[in-house]
Structure formats: C-alpha cells, structure tokens
C-alpha cells in the first residue's frame, strides 16, 4: 500500500549555537519521504525550482521515493532560514523565501489518486483541501499544520478537520487551535472538531497520542548531543505513517497500530538531531533502528 | 522500616492565574510526609513557629507521621509567597520570610538515628551534611536541592554528593549543576560526582530516572485541569521513598525497585495539582491510587 505526501522540498539555512550551514536539503516532504522511504512505498508531490540539485532528488529516489509528482518550475526553490536558541527548543525564523513554492498548486497524478495513505504536510489549508478533493478513497489521512495557518486561515483549517483522521501538531499549536491550556482538554476539543486521533509532539519531551479509546505517552530518546533538530517532526510523521501502512491500518482500526506507529515514529525521528541535515537519517538501517527501538522500550516499560 | 525526612514546614501564599490563597499549609517536609505517610513509617524533623496551627500538625499526625522531631520555636513560621505564570510551569518567588527557619539546626532524636531511609529535602547543604553525620547507617539517602545552593554554596553541595545515593533535581537544576545541556550528559556528570542514581523531574513532562544500569522515562498523568502544583515535586519524593521502603530496597539493589518507585512517585504527585494545597493529597486512598496507576500504565505501555 502507498503513502502519498504533499509538502515542501526546500533549502534550509540553519544556525545552531555552534555552527551555521547554508542551503542544506530541507522541506517537510523531503524529511517525511526519507524517513518513510525505506519501509514504505512513498509518493511525493512537491515543487522544486531551477536551482534544485539533481543529486538531492537522487538521494530521495535512492531511498525508493517515487518523484513523479515533483514539478520542476522556473525560479528559486523555497528557502527557509532559522536560528536555534541555546536550548535547541526554540528557534527564530530569519527568512522565508517562498520562490516557486508561492505558486504551488499540488497536482495529484491520476494513478496516485487511489493511494491508501495521505500525509498533508504543513502547507496552506486551502491547498490541503484541494488534495483531499482529489483523493476521496483513502484509508487514512493525517495532517500537519502550524501557528501561521491557525492564526491567519483558521476557518479554512477548521473546515478541513472533519475530513482528516489524525491531526499532528506540537503542544503550542494544540493550545492555540483549541484555546485550552491543558493538553487533555486541547486534545478533546480538537477531536470534537473532527479528527478521531490527535498526536501532540513535544520535541525533547516526546509525543502524546490521544487515540480513540486510549492515551499513549512516548518519551524522546535521550541523545548524548543535539546537533541539528531540523526535520525531526516531519521524520516522526514519516515513521508514523510508514508503520501504519506496514500494519495495513485504517481509520477504523483500534488504537493498537497507532500506538505502535508512535513508537516507530519516535525511533526514526531520534536519528535526525544527531547530525546536520539528513545525514543520520540516511545512515539509519535495520540494525540501528532495532537497537534504538530496544533502547526506547527499556525506557518505557515500568 | 522507617523514612526520616528533614525539611521545611511552612506557610505558602500562592497566586495562580485564577486565584490567590493566603498562608496555606506548605513546606517540603509537609508535602513529603503527607505523600509518604499512608504507606510508610515517616519521621519528620523540622521547625515550626508560634503561629503554626495545631490542626496542621494534627493533619500530619492523622496521616501517621511521627512529629517527635518537630521543634516549636518562638517567632513566625517560614513563609513563602509565589506567583505562577499562565503556563503553571514557571513561577516567581515574591517573598521568602525565613522566620524561625533561619536558625534551624536539625537535631535527630537518638532513636531515629538508625532510620533506614533518609530524605534530605531542599535546605542548606551544610545542614544536610550535619544530618548525614548523625546517621551513618542508612540503607539509602536521597537529596533534593535547588538553584540557590547550586549557585551560592556549590562546594558544600558537591562535597555532599559522594555521601548520597539518589539526587533528585529538576531539569534546569541538573543542567546548572553539571554544566551540560543534554540531560544524558548532565546525569552522567552528576553520577560521576557521587550519587549512583539521578532523578530528573520535568513537571508536566514527567520524570527521568538515570539508574545504575538503565534509564526510565515516566510521563506525568494528563490532568484535565491544573489548580495549584505547589508541592508536587516533594510529593513525588514522598511517594518515591515510600515505595523503596515498602520494597526494602537499598543502595545496593538493582534498578528494579527504583523504576517502581518512579511510577509510585508519579502517581502520588499527580493528585497534588488538582486542588489547592494538600486537599487532593489527603483525599488520595487505595482505590484512587490504584485507578491512577492503571491509567499511567496504559499511557506507558507501547
């Protein structure tokens, strides 16, 4: 079964407390695809500019990602620039140059419209809606969003929520969307707006699944050192969706495969902050994934 | 087996975003004792002023806490005043009036010097050292401290660390003490300074045990509403020590009873923020504790 992802492919300029890296490979669809790629049949819908390097697309193709849905447009690729605070939790966006992304109108190739799983990465809710319109027969849809859309295009976003199955946000976005301070109350309010499950990402504090009948808290792996956490959230989503697809889960499944998907997403995302950019994600293999999964289980089991 | 706790008994004036409460029963030894009391033989060493209300001591006695070590001094009781931020995570101390606590010199009754378990709540490290001097034959010693002592009496504190078994601090204190940003590195550095185990409390994000051979992450229970988190950390410590005492654990035990103690501490502490002051802690019974423990297990088991 296939996972279709719609989102950005971009270049990121990242400043950490120790180092600055210019124009690294980035974007939500990129990290998602590289995280899900080895374990699932991933189809990417995105737009890249004339400056996008062929070797970067090749990295994705080598990971088994189908790039038929990536449009090549004239102009610069989306470029994001940000600076992490000392704690690596907060970061300031220094620049967002949309480039060819400004006119992105996702087109879903006809053969892909029956993809079973759909991940709508963080883009304008009206574009997310257009993708949903083109894909009426999914088994499961998950959606990411951000404070920008919650604040500026709230009605569009709220109109989408009854059409999706899993909302994936961070804790401050959950609070902003729901108006509730307590995460329990926030998740309940969001579920009342549509999705039957809510995943709340908390960075180094792990992630919470508010499932249909259960709650699961998964800690983040304890890393000796954080180098660059950019893309960890999208990689979590990639691992999460790949696990659901491997289990053949659907929106009607009970919470069990979603709990398992939380674990796999956490394991996959844990590789990202260990190195700049996609390096450690690319180095991930079955052995390192299994070892880290055992480490996570040992941290969780009372 | 007995647990001896040395720490403050006090009055707290607490401002939350919604309400202000004047001169509530407070203090680390108070919360610790009420949390451990129902399940363990607790002995409290503290000082109270002439304004300390007999019914507050009666509350502790009713919970089975032995108050032989509580000295009554002339003058006002320790009074702390603080204001919580909207997020209930950060708080500002508005006033610290030491009163009779300024001259506190803990005296351990002779019959209590062989108590098996010792909890040194957050007081000046030199006072903590004097208690250790009086109690050479414990099975296990745990110690809490705070940024004030880490910054101002660092040498005294560091000299204590080889003499204790479990250091219990919050995440910012662990970073301050170790100079390490990563909690894994911080815990390793602290263990190198003496204690074989480190507990790092993270408030609503739960707590981490860095044991001798293992790491455990315990999430906080998801509470529908937070009213007043004052005392949750000391109540965690009370539950933690009561569980170790019930298991007969010692510093030479393997990590298993410490992992179990993390769970029980988390369960007991979870009652505190649900109401002002000690109300919900007092209402805790076997049935409510068991129900909450089941809820926590369901949140943790993949």
């Amino acid at each position: 079964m296939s996972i279709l992802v719609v989102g950005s492919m971009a270049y990121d300029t990242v400043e950490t407390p120790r180092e600055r890296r210019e124009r690294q490979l980035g974007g939500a669809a990129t990290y998602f695809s590289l995280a899900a790629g080895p374990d699932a049949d991933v189809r990417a819908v995105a737009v890249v500019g004339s400056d996008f390097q062929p070797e970067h697309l090749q990295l994705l193709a080598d990971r088994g990602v189908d790039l038929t849905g990536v449009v090549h447009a004239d102009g610069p690729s989306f470029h994001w620039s940000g600076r992490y605070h000392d704690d690596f939790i907060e970061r300031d966006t220094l620049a967002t140059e949309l480039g060819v992304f400004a006119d992105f109108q996702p087109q879903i190739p006809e053969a892909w419209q029956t993809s079973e799983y759909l991940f709508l990465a963080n883009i304008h809710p009206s574009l997310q809606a257009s993708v949903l319109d083109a894909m009426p027969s999914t088994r499961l849809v998950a959606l990411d969003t951000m404070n920008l859309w919650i604040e500026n295009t709230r009605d569009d976003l709220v109109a989408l929520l009854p059409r999706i199955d899993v909302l994936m946000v961070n804790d401050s976005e959950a609070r902003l969307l729901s108006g509730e301070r307590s995460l329990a109350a926030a998740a309940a309010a969001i579920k009342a707006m549509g999705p039957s499950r809510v995943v709340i990402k908390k960075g180094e504090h792990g992630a919470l699944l508010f499932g249909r009948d259960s709650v699961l808290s998964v800690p983040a792996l304890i890393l000796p050192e954080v180098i660059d956490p950019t893309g960890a959230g999208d990689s979590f989503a990639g691992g999460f969706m790949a696990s659901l697809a491997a289990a053949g889960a659907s929106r009607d499944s009970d919470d069990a495969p979603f709990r398992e998907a939380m674990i796999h997403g956490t394991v996959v995302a844990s590789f990202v902050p260990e190195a700049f950019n996609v390096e450690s994600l690319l180095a991930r293999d079955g052995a390192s994934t299994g070892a880290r999964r055992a480490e996570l289980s040992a941290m969780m089991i009372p």
Side-chain angles (χ1 to χ4, degrees), chain A residues 38 86 89 168 180 212 218 272:
Chain A
D86 277 351
I89 297 172
M168 217 175 267
E180 297 282 352
R212 204 154 55 188
V218 182
V272 175

Side-chain angles (χ1 to χ4, degrees), chain A residues 5 34 53 62 64 74 81 87 98 101 147 151 177 203 231 243 266 278 280 291 295:
Chain A
V5 54
L34 290 173
Q53 296 171 47
D62 289 347
D74 276 340
S81 173
D87 62 5
L98 290 177
F101 201 68
N147 50 359
E151 285 168 340
L177 177 58
S243 177
T266 298
V278 299
S280 47
E295 196 186 322

Side-chain angles (χ1 to χ4, degrees), chain A residues 18-297:
Chain A
R18 276 182 294 277
E19 212 173 327
R20 177 188 162 91
R21 293 284 180 108
E22 296 267 355
R23 300 183 69 78
Q24 302 188 121
L25 176 58
T30 304
Y31 277 101
F32 179 97
S33 297
L34 290 173
D39 310 309
D41 173 12
V42 179
R43 300 163 168 181
V45 172
V47 61
V48 297
S50 39
D51 56 350
F52 209 81
Q53 296 171 47
E55 63 259 39
H56 285 151
L57 293 172
Q58 194 57 47
L59 273 184
L60 287 155
D62 289 347
R63 208 72 175 172
V65 180
D66 191 333
L67 301 171
T68 309
V70 177
V71 172
H72 295 255
D74 276 340
S77 297
F78 182 21
H79 177 230
W80 175 83
S81 173
R83 182 190 294 137
Y84 285 92
H85 294 202
D86 277 351
D87 62 5
F88 275 107
I89 297 172
E90 292 201 70
R91 67 181 188 194
D92 301 321
T93 290
L94 302 178
T96 305
E97 297 151 12
L98 290 177
V100 296
F101 201 68
D103 300 315
F104 182 42
Q105 291 291 340
Q107 300 296 325
I108 314 301
E110 196 174 336
W112 285 11
Q113 296 180 1
T114 53
S115 304
E116 289 85 358
Y117 299 90
L118 171 60
F119 182 68
L120 296 163
N122 170 28
I123 55 175
H124 193 296
S126 68
L127 299 185
Q128 293 176 319
S130 75
V131 175
L132 274 174
D133 292 341
M135 295 183 63
S137 61
T138 54
R139 288 175 74 85
L140 188 95
V141 180
L143 178 142
D144 188 12
T145 189
M146 70 184 295
N147 50 359
L148 177 74
W149 311 125
I150 298 172
E151 285 168 340
N152 298 346
T153 60
R154 187 179 176 86
D155 291 349
D156 288 341
L157 177 62
V158 167
L160 267 180
L161 295 180
R163 305 176 66 190
I164 67 161
D165 305 299
V166 181
L167 181 73
M168 217 175 267
V169 286
N170 68 31
D171 42 1
S172 66
E173 292 159 355
R175 289 180 171 126
L176 186 64
L177 177 58
S178 65
E180 297 282 352
R181 153 75 200 155
S182 137
L183 293 181
I190 293 168
K191 285 165 77 174
M193 297 161 92
S196 55
R197 294 173 170 103
V198 178
V199 173
I200 299 183
K201 298 175 287 182
K202 303 194 296 173
E204 69 163 351
H205 299 301
L208 291 165
L209 167 69
F210 290 89
R212 204 154 55 188
D213 315 305
S214 71
V215 176
L216 179 68
S217 170
V218 182
L221 271 296
I222 307 276
L223 302 176
E225 195 181 12
V226 170
I227 303 292
D228 175 11
T230 311
D234 296 309
S235 300
F236 173 92
F240 182 88
M241 293 297 281
S243 177
L244 289 175
S250 80
R251 59 179 62 89
D252 300 321
S253 300
D254 65 20
D255 283 342
F258 293 87
R259 295 169 73 93
E260 174 59 31
M262 291 288 291
I263 304 289
H264 187 65
T266 298
V267 166
V268 172
S270 76
F271 289 88
V272 175
E274 292 188 311
F276 270 101
N277 199 217
V278 299
E279 265 177 56
S280 47
L281 199 54
L282 289 178
R284 175 176 86 85
D285 60 14
S288 57
T289 303
R292 198 152 286 194
R293 200 209 151 90
E295 196 186 322
L296 180 61
S297 295

